[in-house]
Amino acid sequence: MKDEIESREDRVANLKGMGCSRKRVEDARFTQGKGNYVDDIKLDGMLFGDFVRSPYAHARVVSIDTEEALKVPGVLAVLTAADLEPLGLHWMPTLAGDKQMVLADGKVLYQGQEVAFVVAEDRYAAADGIEAVEVEYEELPVIVDPFESLKSDVVLREDLDPNAPGAHGPRKHPNHIFTWEAGDKDATEQVISEAEVVAEEMVYYHRTHPCPLETCGCVASMDKVNGKLTLWGTFQAPHAIRTVVSLISGIEEHNIRVISPDIGGGFGNKVGAYPGYVCSVVASIVTGKPVKWIEDRMDNLMTTAFARDYWMKGKISATKEGRITGLWCHTTADHGGFDACADPTKFPAGFMNICTGSYDIPTAYLAVDGVYTNKAPGGVAYRCSFRVTEAAYFIERMIEVLAIELNMDAAELRRINFIKADQFPYQSALGWEYDSGDYHTAWDKALAAVGYDDLRAEQARRVEEFKAGKTRRLLGIGLTHFTEIVGAGPVKNCDILGLGMFDSCEIRIHPTGSAIARLGTISQGQGHATTFAQILASEIGLPADSITVEEGDTDTAPYGLGTYGSRSTPVAGAATAMAGRKIRAKAQMIAAYLLEVHDDDVEFDVDRFVVKGAPERFKTMKEIAFAAYNQAIPGIEPGLEAVSYYDPPNMTYPFGAYICVMEIDVDTGEHEIRQFYALDDCGTRINPMIIEGQVHGGLTEALAIAMGQEIAYDDMGNVKTGTLMDFFLPTAWETPNYTTDHTVTPSPHHPIGAKGVGESPNVGGVPCFSNAVHDAFRAFGLRQSHMPHDQWRIWKTANDLGLHS
Ligand code: PCD
């Protein structure tokens, strides 16, 4: 028999379970053009809807004339706020406890805002219809600066009672949204006032955009005969969307089926709800036909879900020897026209209070003020767990500035302040309990890998050569040690619109020993179909190749909160392992029955249960699966299925040590990345190849953000970067080589010890690239310059420092 000659090693390899660089099973369809994206969905009689959008950033809508548009061949309807109002759908709730106009209700608050929805037989007729809608606007003064907004007499949100509190407490000004605080203000200010050394800086993290290759869109199809609404869409949280659609529309939840088919990248852009979804559903109910809405690139960049736009004023104090004593931060957060941030309800500034980073900082204080301006709403976690990348950028810049103040090496300053391995679980001054970490080991490994001391010596020589006029290129060594916080829940702390942030997995084993697993999450390219099968293979002893993983259909998948904030592995991954263990527990009873021994006398071994002490007596999981459907076993139900809803006890805290070696041409502002070393610790690793791919992708997005990507506005609120000609999306040409590395510090509370990894490279990458730019100019007196470090800004920095004269 095959089983008898197979070694244990062969049996392990055959499973392609945990730790195996299994090839991505989804790629066969993606690489052959067989993916099924929202825009691939074509239904009989399907209509197309698109928006008339505001050219102004702030204006009153005096009138909307749809008469000519309705005459355009192929145009069937034009919806305005007046049409939605009787249904109570002209405004919708945001995830942040604010409300947002679905269609302009008397005024517009940002350029590109949705004013009317034209429904037509196809995309072209809709475009012609949009041209024919006549809107009369009366321009209002525009505010694009959050600091000015808080001083201005111009009230942006006239719909809100200026004296009433917002969703997160009292408001200080009609354009103020909330103040959110963490830590001890008085103690921190005291420590800082008495400190030997204090560094102070304003760190700005500019406005950017996730810009997935596939834009946002949906197809709504209301079947009036059976009363069932089906909604296909680019949703990162399909179940939550179903609940929200039910609550807003009044359609009972069992009559709504939400399907996220293949998604061409999410990056946080597809977490929230957009006016396009509401209008498509209404249009389908009104016309009785399926209605598709797909953003074009400009719509996507200008109107859906920006990221960042945080002004972080910081103070950090230390002893003369460099031991950090306190950290203080006040952030002014520009939220645009509506507060549509995608954060767990109790965290209006996300997990910004992870901003003490990897350091043992005894006293800290953080306050965040949210502000309305005439910019697009959003505030999403673009490859970061709810404002963690802002927090990491802030602390990693503050460390560099403190190093300058102390005249100390920034690597050494980090080392003496790291939380030590024996301090975990570590309670941070701003309220988190870090689960596990070993920062010193990771840091030493990283410094050794790049030859840190030699690099510093080379840099010093370069500065001398520059001063002697022998070169025009500077050398920057960018350092970052970041700590992430991923895997929201737990339910007691984290909810979205009242929905607790657990996640789920349901497994059915078929009689022949293959299986299907369904999860509450949804892959947008991360490779869940590959990796979740690997977790199960190791847990239940059936080959990953025999396990189908399915996500994204609310009619079949168990309820879950979706994929963002790197929560799939920490939460749904844990649910998968737990469901697998339930299967195994039942399999153990079946095996014991078949082997005619007591339950406790069999033990699991790779792909089978063996009789303890008699390894030749066993039943494979395949045999057990068949028996579950074939034998009447006393006291045991037929079948082999399990479901787990997992509420994580804590979040997971992945970390990493990144080093970037960058050459900068002082005269052109060009940069060249000579080396990028990224060490990630995400606990137990499921699929090393996928992890490497995640790190490459995340670093490339970090490169984009740090070195050029920006949503910029002029004083009139015009978006200056609304196309890919202006908005930097790196190609293979701009992307450097990356060296990846790892350490493994398992999460003590996760069933398989895994932490998330998808966001880490963005969280750590941005400060690392930015620190490299700053470091190149450190010898010439640079403390802080704002991202993105495009050529012009680098040239300007050199110029301001007098390096061109
Ligand atoms: N892993 C492994 N191991 C470990 C971890 C992890 O293997 N330890 C893997 C998994 O399984 C998967 C991945 O890796 O597959 C990832 O994971 P995670 O970290 O858990 O995450 P998820 O949840 O899954 O996802 C999410 C993320 C995010 S969040 C983002 S942005 C991004 C990332 O993911 N996105 C994306 N990545 C990516 N990729 C792709 N391709 N696409 C996309 O879109 Mo947010 O919040 O949403 O912003």
Side-chain angles (χ1 to χ4, degrees):
M1 285 250 314
K2 194 165 173 266
D3 273 335
E4 283 160 26
I5 50 167
E6 260 181 353
S7 69
R8 194 166 186 278
E9 266 170 25
D10 287 344
R11 290 193 281 122
V12 171
N14 184 40
L15 293 182
K16 298 192 189 158
M18 293 287 303
C20 165
S21 282
R22 183 184 184 218
K23 288 211 173 121
R24 292 172 34 118
V25 293
E26 41 275 270
D27 286 353
R29 82 173 180 277
F30 293 152
T31 54
Q32 294 177 50
K34 300 285 184 206
N36 180 36
Y37 298 92
V38 175
D39 209 12
D40 292 324
I41 290 160
K42 298 191 173 69
L43 305 174
D44 281 348
M46 189 172 71
L47 306 174
F48 192 84
D50 205 353
F51 287 107
V52 175
R53 295 180 180 275
S54 169
Y56 299 108
H58 195 199
R60 240 171 255 302
V61 177
V62 180
S63 64
I64 305 174
D65 185 348
T66 61
E67 205 181 312
E68 289 304 312
L70 288 166
K71 290 183 195 156
V72 171
V75 171
L76 301 175
V78 182
L79 299 177
T80 65
D83 301 307
L84 298 182
E85 191 172 356
L87 308 166
L89 292 176
H90 55 319
W91 288 75
M92 63 178 185
T94 70
L95 295 181
D98 194 0
K99 55 180 182 156
Q100 172 177 359
M101 288 179 222
V102 173
L103 290 171
D105 183 22
K107 73 185 291 193
V108 286
L109 287 162
Y110 56 92
Q111 188 179 52
Q113 189 179 327
E114 299 79 1
V115 174
F117 191 66
V118 175
V119 186
E121 277 164 2
D122 58 42
R123 200 182 281 252
Y124 304 97
D128 291 344
I130 288 168
E131 290 294 311
V133 175
E134 299 248 342
V135 187
E136 194 187 330
Y137 298 95
E138 185 187 301
E139 284 184 71
L140 294 167
V142 172
I143 307 175
V144 289
D145 177 323
F147 298 98
E148 264 172 40
S149 187
L150 288 180
K151 287 185 260 157
S152 177
D153 297 335
V154 179
V155 175
L156 300 179
R157 292 290 299 277
E158 292 159 295
D159 58 294
L160 300 176
D161 173 353
N163 301 313
H168 307 287
R171 299 163 61 223
K172 302 176 195 160
H173 181 278
N175 298 334
H176 177 243
I177 310 172
F178 63 81
T179 301
W180 186 69
E181 291 176 284
D184 188 333
K185 183 167 191 278
D186 294 341
T188 307
E189 287 175 355
Q190 170 117 23
V191 162
I192 290 176
S193 71
E194 291 166 358
E196 290 173 350
V197 182
V198 179
E200 204 172 326
E201 202 51 69
M202 172 64 97
V203 179
Y204 178 49
Y205 199 137
H206 58 295
R207 184 174 269 241
T208 181
H209 193 282
C211 193
L213 274 191
E214 178 203 30
T215 58
C216 301
C218 70
V219 176
S221 180
M222 181 75 205
D223 184 333
K224 287 196 172 164
V225 177
N226 61 22
K228 194 148 181 161
L229 171 71
T230 307
L231 186 62
W232 290 262
T234 50
F235 310 129
Q236 290 183 237
H239 294 274
I241 290 279
R242 186 186 69 189
T243 303
V244 171
V245 171
S246 173
L247 292 173
I248 297 182
S249 68
I251 302 172
E252 275 196 277
E253 206 164 350
H254 73 285
N255 275 331
I256 302 172
R257 179 178 186 189
V258 173
I259 301 173
S260 295
D262 286 329
I263 297 185
F267 310 112
N269 190 207
K270 296 164 178 174
V271 173
Y274 296 122
Y277 306 160
V278 178
C279 290
S280 307
V281 169
V282 172
S284 178
I285 294 173
V286 170
T287 60
K289 295 191 169 165
V291 176
K292 179 185 277 185
W293 165 73
I294 303 280
E295 290 176 327
D296 67 19
R297 182 59 60 193
M298 287 178 76
D299 298 340
N300 180 256
L301 286 172
M302 288 172 67
T303 66
T304 46
F306 80 92
R308 332 287 198 239
D309 220 342
Y310 258 32
W311 292 89
M312 301 171 286
K313 172 101 191 133
K315 291 180 206 166
I316 188 165
S317 60
T319 62
K320 284 198 295 280
E321 294 73 37
R323 186 76 190 87
I324 300 172
T325 54
L327 179 72
W328 180 98
C329 176
H330 181 271
T331 295
T332 303
D334 185 339
H335 286 215
F338 307 103
D339 185 8
C341 285
D343 294 314
T345 309
K346 292 184 200 117
F347 298 89
F351 302 153
M352 177 66 193
N353 54 334
I354 190 78
C355 66
T356 52
S358 308
Y359 312 101
D360 183 13
I361 303 183
T363 322
Y365 171 68
L366 164 73
V368 182
D369 277 303
V371 184
Y372 292 121
T373 60
N374 289 120
K375 297 183 190 170
V380 296
Y382 168 12
R383 211 162 192 154
C384 99
S385 186
F386 316 113
R387 306 289 190 176
V388 174
T389 187
E390 287 88 324
Y393 186 63
F394 170 72
I395 184 66
E396 289 304 298
R397 283 301 311 139
M398 291 308 291
I399 291 282
E400 293 284 315
V401 175
L402 180 62
I404 294 173
E405 202 69 52
L406 289 160
N407 195 20
M408 198 171 170
D409 177 80
E412 185 55 20
L413 177 59
R414 284 180 172 83
R415 188 202 309 273
I416 59 180
N417 286 288
F418 281 144
I419 301 162
K420 296 186 192 69
D422 61 12
Q423 285 177 281
F424 292 92
Y426 172 81
Q427 197 68 43
S428 83
L430 293 179
W432 297 113
E433 187 184 296
Y434 294 24
D435 62 346
S436 62
D438 184 353
Y439 302 163
H440 285 95
T441 301
W443 196 236
D444 290 344
K445 193 173 180 189
L447 296 181
V450 299
Y452 183 69
D453 294 338
D454 293 345
L455 281 173
R456 283 289 177 211
E458 183 187 348
Q459 184 186 42
R461 282 197 303 276
R462 187 73 72 86
V463 170
E464 292 316 313
E465 285 163 23
F466 185 88
K467 287 182 176 162
K470 291 188 193 142
T471 180
R472 296 298 288 163
R473 282 163 80 91
L474 297 177
L475 186 67
I477 305 163
L479 304 175
T480 284
H481 192 287
F482 65 92
T483 296
E484 257 261 75
I485 167 170
V486 302
V491 170
K492 67 176 185 319
N493 297 335
C494 293
D495 71 275
I496 283 189
L497 292 176
L499 302 165
M501 297 181 78
F502 59 87
D503 229 291
S504 60
C505 174
E506 182 208 87
I507 309 165
R508 291 185 192 173
I509 313 287
H510 310 312
T512 50
S514 71
I516 182 161
R518 295 189 169 105
L519 290 91
T521 43
I522 173 71
S523 185
Q524 307 126 40
Q526 294 88 341
H528 291 176
T530 307
T531 51
F532 288 125
Q534 293 183 249
I535 297 179
L536 273 180
S538 294
E539 289 293 337
I540 63 176
L542 292 173
D545 289 343
S546 303
I547 303 169
T548 297
V549 173
E550 214 182 73
E551 303 173 302
D553 182 341
T554 59
D555 262 12
T556 54
Y559 205 100
L561 266 285
T563 294
Y564 42 86
S566 261
R567 64 186 298 281
S568 305
T569 303
V571 193
T576 305
M578 297 310 270
R581 286 172 197 182
K582 290 184 187 174
I583 298 273
R584 213 162 76 190
K586 183 166 176 183
Q588 178 165 4
M589 294 193 280
I590 299 173
Y593 172 81
L594 297 175
L595 292 162
E596 297 180 343
V597 293
H598 190 271
D599 289 357
D600 294 338
D601 292 335
V602 291
E603 62 188 354
F604 186 69
D605 180 44
V606 186
D607 57 354
R608 63 194 56 187
F609 275 96
V610 297
V611 175
K612 285 182 189 163
E616 70 289 352
R617 293 193 59 211
F618 63 83
K619 288 288 168 191
T620 65
M621 283 301 293
K622 222 176 142 131
E623 290 168 323
I624 295 166
F626 193 69
Y629 290 87
N630 153 275
Q631 306 242 346
I633 305 173
I636 297 182
E637 286 179 5
L640 196 50
E641 298 189 7
V643 58
S644 166
Y645 287 85
Y646 189 81
D647 177 8
N650 188 5
M651 278 184 269
T652 66
Y653 295 74
F655 60 94
Y658 290 0
I659 300 175
C660 172
V661 183
M662 189 186 279
E663 301 258 353
I664 282 182
D665 185 317
V666 166
D667 296 316
T668 63
E670 281 170 303
H671 73 270
E672 186 196 321
I673 291 154
R674 204 167 83 181
Q675 187 180 4
F676 197 105
Y677 170 89
L679 179 152
D680 274 281
D681 191 319
C682 56
T684 309
R685 291 146 50 90
I686 303 162
N687 183 322
M689 180 199 69
I690 286 199
I691 292 173
E692 191 180 17
Q694 287 289 313
V695 173
H696 281 209
L699 287 177
T700 304
E701 286 189 309
L703 168 85
I705 295 167
M707 306 308 292
Q709 193 173 83
E710 179 182 23
I711 297 289
Y713 290 82
D714 69 11
D715 290 346
M716 293 168 72
N718 294 307
V719 180
K720 296 197 288 184
T721 51
T723 76
L724 294 187
M725 294 297 288
D726 312 297
F727 185 83
F728 173 45
L729 212 58
T731 63
W733 178 255
E734 292 92 357
T735 305
N737 283 320
Y738 304 116
T739 307
T740 58
D741 203 347
H742 64 275
T743 52
V744 177
T745 314
S747 165
H749 61 80
H750 187 284
I752 56 169
K755 305 181 178 184
V757 77
E759 299 173 330
S760 297
N762 197 306
V763 170
V766 173
C768 192
F769 287 114
S770 180
N771 282 347
V773 175
H774 283 91
D775 185 66
F777 291 107
R778 176 171 167 175
F780 303 91
L782 180 66
R783 267 174 75 110
Q784 178 64 15
S785 68
H786 293 326
M787 292 191 292
H789 306 293
D790 53 20
Q791 261 173 262
W792 183 80
R793 282 191 180 87
I794 292 181
W795 180 90
K796 176 96 174 29
T797 297
N799 201 55
D800 291 348
L801 294 171
L803 303 186
H804 290 153
S805 47

